[in-house]
Amino acid sequence: MKRLTQLASNWFDLPPEVVGTLPRVEWIGQQLQIENFIGVHQFNPDLLTLKTATGYLTVEGNSLVMEAIYPDRILLTGKISAVHMKNNE
Amino acid sequence: MRGGTVTIECVGQNISNLLDQIVQAKIVLKNVQWVSKEKVRITVFLSDIMQVWKYMKQYRVAGKMVKKSGPFFMFKKIKKRKFFVIGFSIFLFLLFFFSSFIWYVDVEGNEQLPDKHVLSILQKEGIYPGQLKVGLPNTDQLQRKLLKRIPNASWIGVRIEGTRIIVTVAEKKRVDSIGEKKLIRRPVDLISKKNAFIMDVRVFHGNPVVKVHDAVKKGQLLVSGTYGEATSPNKGPIVGAQGIVLGEVWYESEVVVPLKYVQNEYTGEKTRYTWPFVGPFVLSNPFSTPKPYAKSELMRRISALRIGKYQIPIGLVRDVYWSVRQVTYTRNHADAIALGKKRARLEMTNTIAPEGRILGEKVLHQRIDNGKVYLKIHFDVVENIAQEKPILQGD
């Protein structure tokens, strides 16, 4: 299934976030929206680590609040200072 | 009634794992927030609470409900205050129930027609206190029906104001009250106003002395006001004469129509001035010339301040000067004669009104002199020649 969607994306030249399972991060001011995550690895007031298809996505900041968690996306607010990625090998 | 959200405070070691588990189970969480170290506040939909509760036990996280909101919990609260809710709904019901009836029927605007008469007719049409407002007929139809039932009314208006029906009646003016005035009898004879040829005699009271086709002279007795034999007056009782005697009379009228005449025409130009006024004084600018044209006509509109129904002698005067030019026109001969005839006819009809009428007309003479048309027209008319003359009762 995964391979099939990848194939479709290559064939039809679609943007990968539309079809894929790749994480997509949208950062607007103090709000961060993360789509296509797999699970929550760690959650603290100053740290949120999410498991994604490509690796661990870490968000650092102060007084982080997850406004909403839907099955496919997270809305995060707070004083965000850094977003970094630890890729899978 | 099943919707709602619950806010739970979780305390424990494995909170991150719990959150991961909840996310994996595709449960929607809201406002995930750290209250303090190792204490997280989460908001869950009511339908997911059992599942979340299960996971919390599994990860040994202690939970405490902090806030409940939504219709489910509202409903629970209402159940506790049952009597208050019942009372309030009864109150609302009664309010609607009693305002859906008609409680008053008012009749206004009637002078001669008694209220009871109108009310009884309304009752027949189904409008009386205690009637449901829903079953009422359409007001337009009702007005028409009532108007048929009350012939003395010239207009009837029906309007509903809340629980009150107001019926406005406009009564007809009674005809006989106007006619009565004419029937005042005075002790008079009717005599002839001028020399004439009798065409018609209409006598309401009295004893006619002349017949149709008689020729009468000015001052001749037409209708005697004395009862009995007309030839031997001063005998019967005096009843007073009243009537119309139509006689044929000749008139000669002269008309002058100028061939040239001057008319004022608006040119369309105008100038506006607006001045304030206090009492009788207009506060205008004394240095400005208020007459902008050689010839103009002034139209003045005054708008005064008003408080309620009281007028305050302070306001604005709006002057508009309309520019006027004088134009001289010339009529041709035929038009002038036609106009002269028309004017003469109009004048004639005014003098012999209301009973009289014109039988015939003839232009006797016409001449043009000094740019004017002189006409002499003969009219053959029928008019009322009767004139009242008091009967002098001998001492």
Side-chain angles (χ1 to χ4, degrees):
Chain A
M1 191 64 206
K2 199 172 172 185
R3 207 174 275 168
L4 211 69
T5 49
Q6 202 94 40
L7 216 65
S9 150
N10 286 341
W11 271 13
F12 299 112
D13 205 15
L14 291 170
E17 75 267 17
V18 176
V19 280
T21 51
L22 304 174
R24 178 184 144 91
V25 180
E26 203 171 276
W27 190 352
I28 304 165
Q30 299 209 324
Q31 197 175 36
L32 201 67
Q33 179 173 302
I34 303 151
E35 286 172 34
N36 295 334
F37 70 98
I38 293 168
V40 181
H41 183 66
Q42 202 182 348
F43 183 46
N44 286 321
D46 1 288
L47 187 81
L48 169 69
T49 309
L50 294 174
K51 214 175 131 193
T52 66
T54 53
Y56 287 95
L57 181 78
T58 309
V59 180
E60 282 174 26
N62 274 327
S63 57
L64 297 178
V65 175
M66 282 201 273
E67 287 228 320
I69 308 177
Y70 299 105
D72 59 336
R73 82 197 147 94
I74 284 184
L75 276 173
L76 186 76
T77 57
K79 284 174 189 159
I80 296 157
S81 56
V83 178
H84 49 86
M85 190 85 188
K86 200 176 125 197
N87 282 316
N88 291 338
E89 285 82 47
Chain B
M1 286 304 159
R2 318 234 77 228
T5 56
V6 186
T7 307
I8 309 170
E9 269 184 8
C10 308
V11 184
Q13 294 292 326
N14 301 322
I15 283 174
S16 287
N17 293 342
L18 171 71
L19 285 178
D20 193 33
Q21 182 62 54
I22 290 170
V23 169
Q24 294 303 327
K26 309 221 162 182
I27 292 167
V28 177
L29 287 179
K30 294 216 159 161
N31 270 326
V32 183
Q33 196 175 353
W34 287 89
V35 183
S36 63
K37 283 252 171 188
E38 307 202 339
K39 200 178 191 185
V40 158
R41 187 178 283 177
I42 58 175
T43 306
V44 192
F45 284 116
L46 191 63
S47 48
D48 301 330
I49 188 82
M50 291 318 288
Q51 242 178 318
V52 171
W53 212 249
K54 201 178 80 193
Y55 291 132
M56 279 166 78
K57 261 186 193 166
Q58 194 182 326
Y59 285 91
R60 289 205 211 103
V61 172
K64 200 173 101 187
M65 280 200 207
V66 181
K67 208 175 113 194
K68 297 175 248 182
S69 61
F72 178 77
F73 298 103
M74 283 263 280
F75 195 65
K76 266 192 158 176
K77 252 185 204 171
I78 285 171
K79 268 189 181 168
K80 270 185 202 164
R81 296 175 192 169
K82 211 181 265 174
F83 283 101
F84 171 73
V85 171
I86 289 172
F88 192 74
S89 49
I90 285 174
F91 162 72
L92 279 183
F93 171 74
L94 288 181
L95 196 72
F96 281 109
F97 182 75
F98 284 111
S99 63
S100 63
F101 285 98
I102 286 162
W103 290 115
Y104 305 96
V105 179
D106 286 352
V107 181
E108 62 179 26
N110 51 340
E111 288 161 14
Q112 313 239 313
L113 226 58
D115 276 6
K116 278 194 176 174
H117 178 64
V118 180
L119 287 179
S120 72
I121 284 169
L122 283 172
Q123 184 138 27
K124 276 177 201 158
E125 292 293 339
I127 293 175
Y128 46 88
Q131 173 80 342
L132 259 176
K133 230 159 64 173
V134 186
L136 280 188
N138 186 6
T139 47
D140 283 353
Q141 280 181 356
L142 200 66
Q143 284 175 15
R144 237 174 287 137
K145 269 188 191 171
L146 288 178
L147 207 58
K148 255 185 213 168
R149 292 251 186 158
I150 309 174
N152 282 351
S154 64
W155 180 82
I156 288 176
V158 179
R159 63 180 199 276
I160 302 171
E161 285 180 3
T163 58
R164 183 187 300 262
I165 276 200
I166 298 166
V167 179
T168 313
V169 181
E171 282 178 14
K172 278 179 188 162
K173 278 228 170 99
R174 295 175 68 170
V175 179
D176 51 8
S177 65
I178 303 164
E180 265 169 36
K181 231 195 242 170
K182 263 192 173 171
L183 292 170
I184 299 166
R185 281 198 245 164
R186 290 188 294 272
V188 289
D189 285 333
L190 292 183
I191 62 162
S192 176
K193 230 189 278 184
K194 48 191 78 171
N195 298 345
F197 186 64
I198 307 286
M199 296 284 284
D200 195 5
V201 183
R202 299 178 205 157
V203 176
F204 305 139
H205 289 285
N207 205 352
V209 188
V210 290
K211 292 197 293 288
V212 178
H213 302 319
D214 279 359
V216 294
K217 284 193 171 156
K218 188 178 178 184
Q220 194 180 328
L221 183 69
L222 298 175
V223 180
S224 169
T226 323
Y227 185 77
E229 282 285 317
T231 45
S232 52
N234 306 330
K235 276 197 177 162
I238 296 163
V239 291
Q242 199 172 42
I244 294 167
V245 180
L246 294 179
E248 194 179 332
V249 186
W250 293 347
Y251 277 92
E252 246 173 43
S253 60
E254 281 184 38
V255 205
V256 182
V257 182
L259 285 176
K260 273 189 183 173
Y261 63 102
V262 178
Q263 225 170 9
N264 284 345
E265 280 186 353
Y266 292 113
T267 60
E269 286 177 84
K270 62 180 174 181
T271 313
R272 280 193 197 140
Y273 294 97
T274 308
W275 310 114
F277 75 93
V278 178
F281 306 107
V282 176
L283 309 171
S284 61
N285 184 358
F287 300 108
S288 78
T289 49
K291 276 213 160 190
Y293 306 111
K295 258 188 173 291
S296 61
E297 227 167 80
L298 170 63
M299 280 186 202
R300 171 164 283 187
R301 253 180 37 220
I302 293 167
S303 46
L305 268 181
R306 235 169 220 287
I307 292 181
K309 54 183 177 179
Y310 302 104
Q311 228 175 28
I312 297 169
I314 295 170
L316 291 177
V317 174
R318 293 198 175 86
D319 286 351
V320 182
Y321 287 93
W322 293 85
S323 170
V324 163
R325 93 179 144 211
Q326 285 190 322
V327 188
T328 312
Y329 288 102
T330 47
R331 294 188 186 91
N332 65 29
H333 202 153
D335 281 354
I337 290 170
L339 186 69
K341 274 186 184 174
K342 201 173 152 193
R343 280 186 193 164
R345 212 177 298 137
L346 197 70
E347 205 180 316
M348 201 72 250
T349 351
N350 281 340
T351 51
I352 63 178
E355 288 96 358
R357 64 180 197 275
I358 297 170
L359 291 180
E361 64 179 75
K362 196 178 180 188
V363 180
L364 296 179
H365 184 72
Q366 68 183 60
R367 70 191 155 93
I368 304 171
D369 221 353
N370 297 327
K372 291 174 184 171
V373 174
Y374 291 82
L375 286 175
K376 204 180 211 178
I377 304 174
H378 172 266
F379 283 103
D380 192 0
V381 303
V382 166
E383 71 169 323
N384 187 12
I385 55 165
Q387 192 180 24
E388 287 180 351
K389 184 194 169 198
I391 299 170
L392 296 173
Q393 284 160 292
D395 304 302

